[in-house]
Amino acid sequence: MKNKRLFIFVIVMALVVFLSSYRLDAYITKPGGAYELSPLVEVAGGDKDDQGSLSLMTVSMLTATPALYVWAKIQDGYKFLPPEQVRSPHESDEEYNVRQLKLMSDSQVNALQIAFEQADLPYEINNNGVFVLNVLTGGAADGILSPGDRVLEVDGNNFTEMQELIDYLSEKEDGETVEVLYERKEREISTDIKLAPLPTNPERVGLGISFVEDKSIETTPKVDIDSDTIGGPSAGLMFTLEILNQLVDDDITKGYNIAGTGTMESDGSVGRIGGIDQKIMAADSADIDIFFAPSEPVEGGGDSNYAVAVETAEKIGTTMEIVPVETIEDAMSFLEELQPQ
């Protein structure tokens, strides 16, 4: 009898371990937290004597397990996402992380540009080649280039725009060799790569990589942003507001705890993001007073981020004010008219 109980106990424990640790090819997202931006952004000589705060919102993402899958089905705010809703086709977890960090980096360039335009201060945009997001298995650069590499030159040509590189490679033939100068971890490396048909489009030849333009910005005064562990572009709006708040003497928060979400585009428009309902829940838990939500219309119909945010706020019974924004001017106009606490 004792041996039987021990056997059952071992089986149950093995099942518990399996359900809690076996990794599914899927993800679970849940409300994250509010991160005050003042400690992450440092404008040289900037004003930090503010009564309120500006915060970015996050959504936590976990690799799904059977236990988490069941929990996500019954717990408010949790979502089960198949891999195609998170990663691009042919993209590994490492490449996904590289892409998210690159999106955050690009959003900071836009945030700095727009903030300095709003403050009427000088800045300069620099083009630094093209940034490798992922390397296709079986492609010409497979085993040579890696996600995060920066291609500086091809055959001695410095391509600062994606289309320039695409046009140059389109004139090459299968088996033709190109000399690629690239940067990896601040080290420049030159190597020859024999072009081959693209695994995703055999009718074309190329390096077999996906890439984006790599830009940086120089500003006066200098701005340092510490966000190495934060991925994605959705904090663009809030970074813009925090930078601007330190550039000007006035406290644009007026003493309120303000959060929000939305990409910041180079023309000052605020783009929609995912997980707006989970960010509303997280903001409510963090005692946020005002929340900026993108109100950009959805192509083909559907609810805007703002509409979903309002619906979620009503569902959870929060007193937090939800404010629609399509541009940085919308956010600034609201803050200018806001009465101080």
Side-chain angles (χ1 to χ4, degrees), residues 19-20 63 73 112 123 142 147 198 273 285 308 317 326:
L19 292 175
S20 60
T63 300
K73 293 296 184 180
L112 284 161
Y123 68 88
D142 189 11
L198 300 178
I273 53 84
S285 297
V308 175
E326 284 194 38

Side-chain angles (χ1 to χ4, degrees), residues 31-308:
Y35 291 83
E36 188 174 344
L37 285 167
S38 180
L40 302 180
V41 176
E42 185 72 34
V43 175
D47 173 33
K48 284 198 173 185
D49 186 21
D50 302 320
Q51 298 301 311
S53 65
L54 294 160
S55 299
L56 65 82
M57 304 306 306
T58 64
V59 171
S60 297
M61 185 165 67
L62 309 168
T63 300
T65 64
L68 280 174
Y69 172 79
V70 173
W71 184 247
K73 293 296 184 180
I74 61 176
Q75 180 67 22
D76 286 344
Y78 281 64
K79 295 180 182 179
F80 176 85
L81 299 178
E84 60 269 17
Q85 290 187 24
V86 177
R87 304 194 311 262
S88 299
H90 312 290
E91 185 177 49
S92 66
D93 283 339
E94 176 195 2
E95 290 167 338
Y96 168 80
N97 290 332
V98 167
R99 177 164 61 88
Q100 291 301 303
L101 291 174
K102 177 58 178 171
L103 288 171
M104 169 57 81
S105 175
D106 289 346
S107 77
Q108 291 173 7
V109 171
N110 289 343
L112 284 161
Q113 175 189 335
I114 299 303
F116 273 70
E117 287 177 355
Q118 290 286 318
D120 197 23
L121 290 170
Y123 68 88
E124 182 179 356
I125 300 289
N126 300 311
N127 295 313
N128 305 313
V130 296
F131 185 92
V132 179
L133 291 176
N134 71 304
V135 182
L136 299 178
T137 302
D142 189 11
I144 303 174
L145 297 179
S146 297
D149 288 346
R150 182 180 291 110
V151 175
L152 305 176
E153 296 179 0
V154 177
D155 289 338
N157 299 299
N158 179 12
F159 299 108
T160 59
E161 297 182 4
M162 292 193 302
Q163 195 57 48
E164 291 178 350
L165 178 56
I166 292 171
D167 292 343
Y168 181 78
L169 293 176
S170 68
E171 298 176 356
K172 301 296 182 180
E173 297 181 357
D174 184 8
E176 194 169 347
T177 298
V178 295
E179 182 181 4
V180 177
L181 176 67
Y182 63 98
E183 180 182 280
R184 177 180 297 169
K185 296 181 179 178
E186 300 183 354
R187 176 190 172 203
E188 292 189 5
I189 304 170
S190 180
T191 189
D192 290 338
I193 298 180
K194 184 180 293 186
L195 300 178
L198 300 178
T200 55
N201 186 359
E203 295 181 359
R204 292 178 51 199
V205 300
L207 294 171
I209 61 175
S210 65
F211 52 90
V212 294
E213 295 172 7
D214 191 54
K215 295 183 178 182
S216 60
I217 186 170
E218 296 180 12
T219 62
T220 304
K222 183 180 178 183
V223 181
D224 291 319
I225 301 177
D226 180 15
S227 62
D228 291 343
T229 60
I230 304 171
S234 65
L237 169 64
M238 297 311 298
F239 270 117
T240 305
L241 293 175
E242 177 60 40
I243 295 165
L244 190 56
N245 197 33
Q246 294 188 34
L247 288 174
V248 300
D249 292 332
D250 295 337
D251 178 6
I252 68 173
T253 70
K254 306 285 184 68
Y256 293 89
N257 294 323
I258 302 171
T261 189
T263 66
M264 178 51 62
E265 307 302 326
S266 59
D267 62 357
S269 60
V270 179
R272 59 184 285 106
I273 53 84
I276 184 71
D277 52 344
Q278 294 168 315
K279 292 184 177 181
I280 291 293
M281 294 177 184
D284 179 57
S285 297
D287 295 325
I288 297 297
D289 300 313
I290 298 167
F291 190 99
F292 288 122
S295 56
E296 175 190 21
V298 180
E299 292 185 12
D303 292 334
S304 68
N305 278 170
Y306 172 68
V308 175

